[in-house]
């Protein structure tokens, strides 16, 4: 299995409800026919402001656009995640953030360099 990681910053959410860590993976599983499945979450900073939601899949390159579409078309706990979420992918299951590649929002060339 490989990883899709949705990173959320609670300070950018209208309603920083922790139920997002359950509702987002459940909806992704439903939308993809379980091709994308919940694989846990973890706080990414000591303050607990940033959280990563790990999703597992056999084909992150195929499924990450569907996850982004979900973020753009649905609200989770009254939040529009399309404006605040980062989506990363990796060929490794439960990949550490540092080895993931950001796919959404797309980085402009100057941010990559």
């Amino acid at each position: 299995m490989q990883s899709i990681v949705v990173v959320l910053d609670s300070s950018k959410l209208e309603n920083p409800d922790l139920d997002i860590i359950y509702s987002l993976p459940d909806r992704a599983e439903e939308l993809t026919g379980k091709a994308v499945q919940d694989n846990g979450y973890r706080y990414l900073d000591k303050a607990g402001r940033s959280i990563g939601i790990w999703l597992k899949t056999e084909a992150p390159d195929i499924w990450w656009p569907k996850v982004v579409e979900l973020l753009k078309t649905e609200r989770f706990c009254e939040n529009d995640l399309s404006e605040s979420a980062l989506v990363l992918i990796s060929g490794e299951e439960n990949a550490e953030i540092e080895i993931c590649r950001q796919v959404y929002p797309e980085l402009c060339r100057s941010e990559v360099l």
Side-chain angles (χ1 to χ4, degrees):
M1 287 291 193
Q2 300 173 49
S3 298
I4 299 173
V5 185
V6 179
V7 178
L8 304 174
D9 180 339
S10 64
S11 69
K12 296 180 181 178
L13 300 177
E14 295 172 36
N15 179 28
D17 188 328
L18 276 179
D19 283 344
I20 293 171
I21 63 177
Y22 305 110
S23 59
L24 176 59
D26 287 349
R27 187 65 183 111
E29 284 185 23
E30 182 181 340
L31 178 71
T32 64
K34 295 196 176 187
V36 174
Q37 298 179 2
D38 186 2
N39 204 21
Y41 71 93
R42 122 180 40 139
Y43 291 100
L44 303 175
D45 62 358
K46 291 183 182 191
R49 192 181 88 204
S50 184
I51 192 166
I53 301 170
W54 270 257
L55 304 168
K56 62 183 176 182
T57 182
E58 291 290 340
D61 287 322
I62 292 171
W63 291 108
W64 75 260
K66 290 291 186 187
V67 171
V68 170
E69 179 183 323
L70 181 64
L71 299 177
K72 289 180 175 182
T73 59
E74 297 188 25
R75 294 180 67 84
F76 293 88
C77 300
E78 302 173 25
N79 293 288
D80 176 359
L81 300 181
S82 69
E83 295 296 320
S84 58
L86 298 177
V87 178
L88 306 110
I89 63 173
S90 174
E92 294 183 26
E93 187 173 352
N94 288 323
E96 295 297 325
I97 293 294
E98 296 79 21
I99 66 167
C100 293
R101 175 173 56 97
Q102 183 175 328
V103 292
Y104 178 84
E106 185 176 344
L107 296 172
C108 69
R109 185 167 170 76
S110 64
E111 291 176 303
V112 175
L113 301 175

